[in-house]
Amino acid sequence: MQTSTQATAQPRTAYDLVGGRSVVRDFVDRFYDLMAADPAYAELRALHAPDLAPMRASLTDFLSAWLGGPRDWFDERPGVCMMSAHRGVAMSEAAARQWAEAMTRAVTERVPDKGLADKLAEALSSMALGMAGVEAA
Ligand code: HEM
């Protein structure tokens, strides 16, 4: 028998705060659209396969898990981390800066909570620069 109608308080994840999968997919799509269209990101674009569709899906799944949402990306890739996922990628400082700048633009444009967007852009930028061994400014 139900004795209470009060919902148990659940901690909200960053995934919830960002707006869930539709917002993650939206800023990921914007990121790849910028990468494909803006010549400022040509070096980064050239590292990727011609078809960006698999990357749009993979980065959406990765970031959903990273933000505390569904963990499918990790469940489907046991033992894989961000460094091993990039083992064959010729990382350069220029490409990492392009990644950080395009992602900052995408997140700033598409995450409705501006304070959260700034924090997210900063965290992802420092991840990208760290992966290339570059100190954040
Ligand atoms: C530091 C600059 C970065 C560069 C130059 C870079 C470049 C690449 C390239 C070339 C690929 C393979 C794409 C393809 O096969 O078409 C890739 C895959 C991927 N990258 Fe990055 N990346 C960077 C940073 C990041 C960061 C910071 C994240 C996460 C926040 C990320 C997430 C991913 C994911 C999830 C994949 C797909 C892995 C898979 O599906 O197995 N990348 N990246």
Side-chain angles (χ1 to χ4, degrees):
M1 188 175 74
Q2 188 126 12
T3 54
S4 168
T5 54
Q6 263 193 329
T8 311
Q10 296 282 338
R12 297 190 73 201
T13 62
Y15 178 75
D16 297 325
L17 295 173
V18 156
R21 188 176 177 85
S22 63
V23 173
V24 177
R25 179 72 202 213
D26 191 35
F27 76 71
V28 165
D29 274 338
R30 181 64 179 144
F31 169 73
Y32 287 113
D33 288 347
L34 285 167
M35 185 197 291
D38 192 328
Y41 311 127
E43 181 173 336
L44 180 61
R45 177 67 187 92
L47 292 172
H48 289 76
D51 181 6
L52 290 172
M55 284 303 306
R56 291 174 189 266
S58 183
L59 188 55
T60 300
D61 286 349
F62 172 80
L63 288 174
S64 294
W66 182 78
L67 288 163
R71 296 198 46 84
D72 305 34
W73 193 94
F74 289 95
D75 293 345
E76 288 162 10
R77 296 167 179 75
V80 175
C81 70
M82 260 309 94
M83 292 309 288
S84 59
H86 291 85
R87 195 164 282 141
V89 176
M91 283 288 166
S92 67
E93 177 171 349
R97 290 195 185 284
Q98 289 171 21
W99 197 105
E101 187 186 303
M103 183 56 79
T104 296
R105 285 175 66 186
V107 164
T108 304
E109 287 177 20
R110 300 301 169 93
V111 173
D113 178 329
K114 293 304 159 207
L116 190 56
D118 288 349
K119 289 193 175 73
L120 183 55
E122 191 182 334
L124 290 173
S125 294
S126 77
M127 194 193 304
L129 295 178
M131 281 166 58
V134 180
E135 293 283 328

